């Protein structure tokens, strides 16, 4: 094979970035190659074996998610106040693995994908306010302060309804409101998920789409949960359901960031487009 001589050009670096982006996308696909119904079935079978009531089962799923994130703060059952002991017991009870690379395997991250709402219990709604900020000793300016709270939590992605068919008049969200929610969530969850910024933004979008698709929540229940978390308000007109705070936060996000979000994330057939793109 003839060796390549000369210095690398910009297009060569672009090719390499595309190559590694595609490789990492394929790795993500393999990592999340599981059926949510199968994960749920395996968990329920373990619960039935231990004669676990439905209420207790949901509490234990919530504990699995929150304990892993070090959010455990109260005593449950007979396990005392030791969170490590509680987590160890639940992992053994439900045969939870540290990591999974095959479909027929339960991990805490997969539990969170399947039951995202259980990790958001008690989460505060988004807060948007204006404050005066001191510019220098002689002047100040009014700035917008956004506390994303629930919208900044990565688990929130599992509450976002999938884009609906344009012919479906019963959709819970208008396309514009869906775009606003996705944009605000992506923007404010970056600091939690990707502090080191080593994950390509395209892959961050793929991860969000996985959460939207892997959740076992129906579209109707997602809408109810969005209302519960004050993302949507009660309205007969689905175009006006979005709370004003979300719209305000969206309007203050840069155009560059908005344009960087791939369109397939908002589209009804986006799943097929991204699947083709990484294969």
């Amino acid at each position: 094979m003839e060796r390549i001589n000369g210095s690398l050009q910009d297009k060569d670096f672009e090719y390499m970035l595309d190559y590694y982006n595609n490789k990492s996308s394929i790795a993500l696909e393999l990592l999340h190659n599981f059926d949510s119904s199968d994960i749920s079935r395996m968990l329920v079978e373990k619960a039935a074996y231990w004669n676990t009531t439905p209420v207790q089962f949901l509490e234990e799923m919530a504990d699995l998610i929150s304990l892993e994130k070090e959010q455990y703060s109260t005593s449950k059952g007979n396990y005392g106040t030791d969170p490590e002991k509680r987590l160890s017991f639940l992992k053994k009870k439900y045969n939870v693995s540290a990591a999974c690379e095959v479909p027929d395997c339960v991990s805490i991250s997969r539990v969170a994908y399947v039951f995202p709402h259980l990790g958001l219990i008690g989460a505060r709604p988004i807060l948007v306010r204006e404050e005066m900020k001191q510019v220098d000793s002689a002047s100040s300016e009014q700035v917008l302060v956004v506390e994303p709270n629930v919208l900044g939590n990565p688990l929130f992605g599992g509450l976002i309804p999938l884009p609906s068919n344009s012919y479906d008049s019963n959709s819970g969200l208008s396309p514009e409101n869906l775009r606003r929610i996705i944009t605000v969530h992506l923007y404010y969850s970056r600091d939690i998920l990707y502090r080191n910024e080593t994950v390509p933004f395209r892959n961050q979008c793929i991860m969000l789409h996985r959460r939207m698709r892997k959740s076992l929540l129906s579209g109707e229940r997602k809408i109810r949960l969005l209302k519960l978390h004050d993302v949507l308000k009660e309205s007969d007109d689905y175009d006006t359901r979005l709370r004003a705070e979300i719209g305000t936060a969206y309007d203050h996000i840069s155009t560059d960031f908005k344009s960087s979000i791939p369109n397939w994330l908002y589209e009804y057939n986006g799943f097929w487009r991204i699947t083709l793109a990484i294969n």
Side-chain angles (χ1 to χ4, degrees):
M1 179 181 294
E2 183 179 354
R3 296 186 62 180
I4 299 175
N5 296 318
S7 60
L8 291 171
Q9 305 297 315
D10 287 344
K11 63 180 180 180
D12 297 315
F13 287 105
E14 290 176 5
Y15 170 79
M16 286 188 289
L17 286 174
D18 287 341
Y19 174 80
Y20 286 113
N21 278 344
N22 286 335
K23 282 289 186 181
S24 58
S25 297
I26 293 171
L28 281 176
E29 177 69 15
L30 293 174
L31 184 63
H32 298 97
N33 181 28
F34 65 91
D35 188 303
S36 299
S37 297
D38 288 342
I39 299 298
S40 177
R41 175 184 53 78
M42 288 187 282
L43 291 168
V44 169
E45 286 176 352
K46 288 293 184 181
Y49 176 82
W50 289 92
N51 294 319
T52 306
T53 66
V55 172
Q56 183 184 348
F57 172 75
L58 293 178
E59 288 181 349
E60 291 179 342
M61 293 300 101
D63 279 353
L64 271 173
I65 298 170
S66 61
L67 283 168
E68 185 72 3
K69 296 180 178 298
E70 299 180 347
Q71 295 173 347
Y72 185 84
S73 60
T74 58
S75 173
K76 294 288 181 72
N78 298 317
Y79 311 107
T81 57
D82 186 345
E84 291 185 6
K85 185 176 180 180
R86 171 71 168 169
L87 182 58
S88 177
F89 170 81
L90 292 176
K91 284 182 175 180
K92 290 179 180 178
K93 177 177 179 177
Y94 290 100
N95 194 26
V96 176
S97 302
C100 293
E101 295 185 0
V102 294
D104 192 20
C105 174
V106 175
S107 66
I108 291 181
S109 64
R110 289 184 175 183
V111 174
Y113 269 81
V114 175
F115 304 114
H117 57 303
L118 297 180
L120 295 171
I121 296 174
R124 294 186 301 159
I126 186 173
L127 295 176
V128 179
R129 65 182 185 277
E130 291 186 343
E131 291 183 353
M132 296 303 295
K133 179 181 179 181
Q134 199 72 26
V135 178
D136 51 43
S137 59
S139 62
S140 59
E141 63 179 5
Q142 198 169 46
V143 296
L144 188 76
V145 177
V146 177
E147 296 180 26
N149 297 327
V150 69
L151 266 88
N153 192 314
L155 295 178
F156 179 81
L159 271 58
I160 301 177
L162 287 167
S164 61
N165 190 321
S166 58
Y167 298 103
D168 182 7
S169 60
N170 295 319
S171 170
L173 281 177
S174 67
E176 182 57 31
N177 283 345
L178 179 64
R179 179 181 294 271
R180 288 171 178 263
I181 291 173
I182 287 176
T183 301
V184 172
H185 171 62
L186 270 175
Y187 186 81
Y188 287 105
S189 64
R190 295 178 306 164
D191 292 339
I192 298 176
L193 275 175
Y194 311 107
R195 289 188 178 93
N196 55 10
E197 297 185 358
T198 59
V199 179
F201 183 67
R202 178 173 179 271
N203 286 359
Q204 297 177 31
C205 294
I206 292 174
M207 294 288 285
L208 171 56
H209 194 270
R210 292 285 181 273
R211 290 191 183 278
M212 294 166 63
R213 188 165 58 88
K214 294 295 184 181
S215 168
L216 279 182
L217 299 170
S218 66
E220 183 179 354
R221 192 170 183 197
K222 286 183 176 182
I223 294 297
R224 292 203 303 269
L225 287 166
L226 290 179
K227 292 178 181 178
L228 178 67
H229 288 290
D230 283 338
V231 175
L232 300 178
K233 58 184 178 180
E234 294 290 346
S235 174
D236 294 332
D237 182 1
Y238 81 157
D239 285 322
T240 63
R241 283 183 172 180
L242 194 69
R243 298 196 71 87
E245 293 85 350
I246 313 295
T248 302
Y250 174 85
D251 291 340
H252 281 74
I253 295 175
S254 70
T255 302
D256 287 343
F257 181 84
K258 293 173 183 175
S259 62
S260 69
I261 301 175
N263 287 329
W264 52 255
L265 198 52
Y266 309 120
E267 297 174 354
Y268 174 65
N269 62 346
F271 164 67
W272 301 110
R273 289 184 59 187
I274 188 57
T275 300
L276 291 173
I278 64 177
N279 290 323

